[in-house]
Amino acid sequence: QQQVKQSPQSLIVQKGGISIINCAYENTAFDYFPWYQQFPGKGPALLIAIRPDVSEKKEGRFTISFNKSAKQFSLHIMDSQPGDSATYFCAASITPRVGSYQLTFGKGTKLSVIP
Amino acid sequence: DTGVSQNPRHKITKRGQNVTFRCDPISEHNRLYWYRQTLGQGPEFLTYFQNEAQLEKSRLLSDRFSAERPKGSFSTLEIQRTEQGDSAMYLCASSSRGQGEGPQHFGDGTRLSIL
């Protein structure tokens, strides 16, 4: 059972446009939702993260919108640039009493920003 | 911050051989994670160390897999009697625990190809 569902699988956006990637989760115990960016041959790099006590978080051109009742969250990339072309992963984790903060990832969205 | 370092970057081996990967986390990080990423998928959690103690293992980690973190610094992941299905990118991540959990920082992975 896939606990974090991500869409779309791929996305093509014109330079300067807005890229929107959506994720939905099942487990209401999740309380930390990061987005990672991955370039070919590289490991995932943390972009931005949110906790359920806020509905939106913005860092530069990247914004996370969070809807707790719908169990959905999304990444918006404003003024998309060719350098943003990468694969984006949403993830979720649970704050444990003991143990790990293991991340559960979506399947990824391959973003292509065309000039 | 020198980042998480993984070696080797690529490993090609014949089916049935043993392989070992190494991860050097960010120096002050006491938490270390191993994930596996197959083509077109998000990373999947394999195992977790807090200092030198291996506290969690995923059911994905068969008996052929073993991980160590002998002095709470670097970690190794060994796969015995490799199979075709072991072909994947093996990612290491580390994090610190200061005021709550810090973000997980990923290395660039070891890509394993089984002939």
Side-chain angles (χ1 to χ4, degrees):
Chain A
Q1 181 188 0
Q2 190 186 352
Q3 292 200 60
V4 179
K5 293 185 179 179
Q6 184 171 346
S7 63
Q9 192 173 347
S10 62
L11 181 62
I12 300 173
V13 172
Q14 205 108 36
K15 179 182 174 183
I18 302 173
S19 304
I20 302 174
I21 304 170
N22 301 299
C23 281
Y25 62 96
E26 298 288 328
N27 190 343
T28 54
F30 285 141
D31 61 359
Y32 175 68
F33 302 90
W35 284 89
Y36 281 83
Q37 178 190 57
Q38 187 175 31
F39 292 104
K42 296 289 190 181
L46 179 67
L47 263 181
I48 186 172
I50 198 168
R51 293 195 179 272
D53 52 347
V54 297
S55 60
E56 187 174 282
K57 183 174 180 180
K58 184 176 180 179
E59 288 183 5
R61 295 186 295 111
F62 301 94
T63 299
I64 298 180
S65 297
F66 186 82
N67 186 330
K68 188 174 180 179
S69 60
K71 293 187 287 184
Q72 294 176 347
F73 58 110
S74 60
L75 175 70
H76 295 230
I77 305 174
M78 312 299 286
D79 187 27
S80 300
Q81 299 296 314
D84 296 330
S85 298
T87 300
Y88 292 81
F89 293 95
C90 62
S93 71
I94 299 169
T95 300
R97 277 194 230 139
V98 292
S100 80
Y101 291 74
Q102 59 175 273
L103 293 166
T104 299
F105 284 85
K107 290 191 173 185
T109 296
K110 186 173 182 180
L111 171 66
S112 300
V113 181
I114 54 176
Chain B
D1 181 355
T2 57
V4 177
S5 176
Q6 291 189 246
N7 288 287
R9 292 295 317 278
H10 303 275
K11 180 70 177 179
I12 301 172
T13 192
K14 292 182 179 178
R15 184 167 51 93
Q17 297 295 304
N18 299 344
V19 294
T20 301
F21 313 138
R22 176 178 170 127
C23 170
D24 288 273
I26 294 171
S27 58
E28 65 270 21
H29 285 183
N30 62 337
R31 294 172 181 247
L32 188 145
Y33 301 78
W34 285 97
Y35 291 83
R36 182 173 68 188
Q37 184 177 24
T38 53
L39 210 59
Q41 302 293 318
E44 294 176 294
F45 169 77
L46 290 179
T47 190
Y48 162 70
F49 288 85
Q50 184 166 322
N51 301 309
E52 68 277 5
Q54 187 176 17
L55 298 184
E56 286 185 35
K57 292 196 284 188
S58 162
R59 64 183 185 280
L60 293 176
L61 213 65
S62 77
D63 291 345
R64 297 182 298 103
F65 287 69
S66 63
E68 293 183 339
R69 194 182 183 196
K71 294 182 180 178
S73 57
F74 72 92
S75 176
T76 58
L77 178 67
E78 181 183 15
I79 309 174
Q80 296 183 325
R81 306 181 304 281
T82 51
E83 301 174 355
Q84 292 283 355
D86 297 333
S87 294
M89 173 82 86
Y90 290 85
L91 293 162
C92 176
S94 70
S95 67
S96 63
R97 185 172 184 272
Q99 301 258 334
E101 171 72 354
Q104 291 183 31
H105 297 265
F106 283 81
D108 287 336
T110 294
R111 179 164 295 286
L112 175 64
S113 299
I114 308 296
L115 301 177

